[in-house]
Each structure stands twice: as C-alpha cells, then as structure tokens.
Amino acid sequence: MAIKLGNIELQHGLMLAPMAGVSDQAFRLLCREYGAELCFTEMVSAKAVQYRDKKTFALAHIGKSDAPCAIQLFGAEPDVVAQSASFLMQHTGGEAPCSIDINMGCPVRKIVSNGEGSALMRDPELAGQIIRQTVQAVSVPVSVKIRAGWDETSKNAVSFALMAQENGAAFVTVHGRTRSQMYAPPVDWDIIKQVKEALSIPVIGNGGVFCAQDALDLLAYTKCDGVMVARGAMGNPFLFAEIKAALTGKHYEKPDVDERMKTAQRHLLLMLEEQNENAILEFRKHAAWYTKGIRGAAALRQKLNTANSKEEMISLLEEIRKTGA
C-alpha cells in the first residue's frame, strides 16, 4: 500500500490531519514518533501569508525533526493561494514543505462565509483554477482535502475529485461527511469508495477513525490508498502505532497510564519550547484528552483546566500517573 508523493514514499499511507489548534509542531512530532508518515500543518490562511502575518508564519514553520511535512493552505483567490504557496516554499523559517495541501473541506462558518474551505465544493470551476495555478506555482506535489459534498442533496465528491485530478492534484483526501453534517455521524464510506474507483491518483480516506479496526475496515471497504487520522489522535498519538501494528500483523499493547502521562508531559514540554508560556493555556485541552477515562482523573481535571504554570501542570499529571496506574 506504499504511496509515492514526489520524492517521498509512504509505506502505509498513515497521515495526521491538519487540525486547527491541534496539529502544531509539538503534536506532529509525537504522532510521527508513533508512526504517522506524513503530517500537515494547521490551516494557514493564504491571504495572511500575503500580509506577512507573523502568527501565520509560526503556523507554517517546519522544524528539521518535523519533516516530511505538508503545509495546508486555505483561500478562495487563485492568485493569492498560488503566490502564497510559492512564497512558503522558501520562507517557512525552517524546512521547506514536502507538499502543499489545499483545504476545500473545512466546514467552519467563518471559513465558508468567505467562500473558502468546503464552500469551494459549490464552485468547482473556481476550485479548479486554485488547484491549477498552485500546481504551476510550486515544484512539490499539491493535494486537495474535500468533503462528501455540501449537504445530502449535493454529494459531488466524485466529480469534484475528478476535477482536482484533471487540474494536477497529486492526491485527494476525502472526509466522508458533508459540510452540513460538520462532525456528526455517519461517515459515508461509499462516497470515499466511489472516489477511489473513479480516480487514478491516490485517494486518502478520512473520518471516524478512532481505533485500528476503524482504519482496517475503512481500507478494506473503500480500497483507498491511505488513512488520515484526525480527532482520533487527540490525546492519543499512540493510535498510529496501533494502526501500524494492525496493518503489519504485529502484536500491540495499549499504553498504560504511566506511558500516557509521561507522553502528556513530554507534549507539554515540546509545546513550551515552541510557544513559550502561551503553551500552558493551549495544553489544557490536550490534558483533558490525555486523561479521559483514567480512574481518579475526573477530580483533577478541573485543576488541569485552570493550571497556569508548567510546574502546576506537570505536578497534576504526575498525580494522575500515580493514582491512575
């Protein structure tokens, strides 16, 4: 099931999704260690790149240990997206991206209200111009992330993906939900399967993967070339190791509380290196995910949600490690 993307070969097609507020460099590094073969930055605004916004460049930064990593751009103006992609090839402040991904699936209101994200699935002609101009502007593969469609009455993922292929996309990731569903069930594996059957380029399945069996079932049913994991990895970067073991027929031991809390602490330290003290507030949500389901953790979770220092956060995680083991 190896996938060739430019100079990169993915043996199992395991990818970490670009998730706003989640897929920062610290989280990408952890997921990579557990088996993610390709990671994506958080969504980067093409227009903000044009304005040379410092926070945007921080989102696009790729460290040496973070490669290969793709930058995901969103925007609705072909020239702006293409020019921003070209600029970021040379100006990430770190390693160059191995590929550029164009977001045409984000369902969030503030994105679609600007005609960006999944709103582009309602305008295939404009979407095609964005893809084509971006492909012409960079020397690395360009991919596209889409949804099943806008709503149940307009599931156009197959025709839209064919359009992306015709305009030079190297691969397409299909999230098997419509924009109107947001993140509610069910995930439509049939539409992913139909896209896979229609395209000659690789197709990646996305949506509803929370354990190895989910990934195996998705791959078996859709015959897609890889799996993109999103919310299933939140607080659970170990999921990539679980999926990899299942794909290779190897035994897998789920991490115990000790490993989970040690990984959570390392995650915090990586975030502090990247974001300084701002990381404490950002890490609170990760702490809640890492401690979910651990015996005795509920009483301490409120304290995690109000922790204001590295020492306080690590002390609480240590307490959970000792009481939950």
Side-chain angles (χ1 to χ4, degrees):
M1 198 174 65
I3 306 172
K4 185 78 172 175
L5 301 173
N7 297 323
I8 300 166
E9 184 171 298
L10 310 181
Q11 188 175 0
H12 304 292
L14 296 181
M15 303 182 184
L16 172 67
M19 293 179 282
V22 178
S23 300
D24 59 12
Q25 184 168 260
F27 187 57
R28 297 196 301 266
L29 289 172
L30 286 175
C31 289
R32 191 181 302 283
E33 289 178 9
Y34 282 99
E37 296 173 296
L38 179 61
C39 297
F40 297 73
T41 65
E42 300 174 63
M43 288 196 313
V44 172
S45 166
K47 190 167 287 185
V49 173
Q50 297 284 289
Y51 293 138
R52 306 296 188 255
D53 178 70
K54 289 184 178 180
K55 290 183 179 179
T56 297
F57 286 136
L59 292 177
H61 178 78
I62 300 171
K64 286 187 177 180
S65 301
D66 195 19
C69 184
I71 289 178
Q72 190 189 67
L73 285 173
F74 72 92
E77 300 166 83
D79 290 345
V80 172
V81 176
Q83 290 167 12
S84 295
S86 178
F87 183 84
L88 288 172
M89 290 304 302
Q90 303 293 331
H91 300 89
T92 63
E95 299 295 301
C98 65
S99 63
I100 298 293
D101 188 68
I102 305 174
N103 185 301
M104 297 188 175
C106 179
V108 177
R109 183 185 297 274
K110 68 178 182 180
I111 301 295
V112 298
S113 63
N114 290 326
E116 302 164 330
S118 56
L120 286 164
M121 294 199 70
R122 306 174 83 180
D123 194 344
E125 184 176 345
L126 175 59
Q129 293 174 22
I130 293 171
I131 297 166
R132 184 169 61 255
Q133 290 192 32
T134 305
V135 169
Q136 293 169 350
V138 298
S139 58
V140 295
V142 173
S143 58
V144 184
K145 191 169 190 289
I146 68 174
R147 284 197 163 225
W150 180 258
D151 56 28
E152 285 297 317
T153 65
S154 57
K155 286 189 173 183
N156 63 334
V158 175
S159 61
F160 196 91
L162 280 168
M163 174 277 298
Q165 176 177 274
E166 290 166 3
N167 282 284
F171 70 91
V172 173
T173 301
V174 185
H175 184 149
R177 294 182 176 95
T178 63
R179 187 270 166 176
S180 62
Q181 280 182 269
M182 299 295 285
Y183 299 100
V187 179
D188 187 350
W189 287 359
D190 285 313
I191 199 76
I192 300 174
K193 181 179 181 181
Q194 291 164 22
V195 172
K196 171 57 187 171
E197 291 171 347
L199 269 59
S200 59
I201 58 174
V203 174
I204 310 303
N206 172 231
V209 176
F210 289 89
C211 66
Q213 194 60 52
D214 291 337
L216 293 179
D217 291 345
L218 173 62
L219 290 168
Y221 187 81
T222 66
K223 302 296 190 292
C224 58
D225 302 281
V227 174
M228 182 176 282
V229 179
R231 291 179 299 149
M234 296 190 307
N236 186 25
F238 324 102
L239 179 54
F240 289 100
E242 182 186 349
I243 296 172
K244 185 177 179 180
L247 289 172
T248 56
K250 294 181 179 178
H251 177 70
Y252 175 75
E253 287 282 348
K254 288 199 171 186
D256 57 15
V257 173
D258 184 72
E259 183 178 357
R260 286 170 65 179
M261 292 305 96
K262 285 181 177 177
T263 302
Q265 290 179 45
R266 182 153 177 265
H267 190 163
L268 172 60
L269 294 177
L270 286 169
M271 287 182 69
L272 284 166
E273 286 179 16
E274 184 182 341
Q275 304 178 26
N276 299 317
E277 290 305 317
N278 292 333
I280 300 299
L281 295 179
E282 286 295 313
F283 184 74
R284 287 176 180 174
K285 59 179 178 284
H286 290 283
W289 295 328
Y290 276 111
T291 57
K292 185 178 180 181
I294 295 178
R295 176 171 53 85
L300 295 169
R301 196 167 288 126
Q302 185 59 42
K303 292 183 179 179
L304 286 169
N305 288 335
T306 58
N308 288 310
S309 70
K310 177 181 77 172
E311 292 75 20
E312 185 180 3
M313 186 70 78
I314 288 179
S315 176
L316 289 166
L317 292 171
E318 270 294 295
E319 189 173 348
I320 292 170
R321 184 177 73 83
K322 293 173 181 177
T323 59

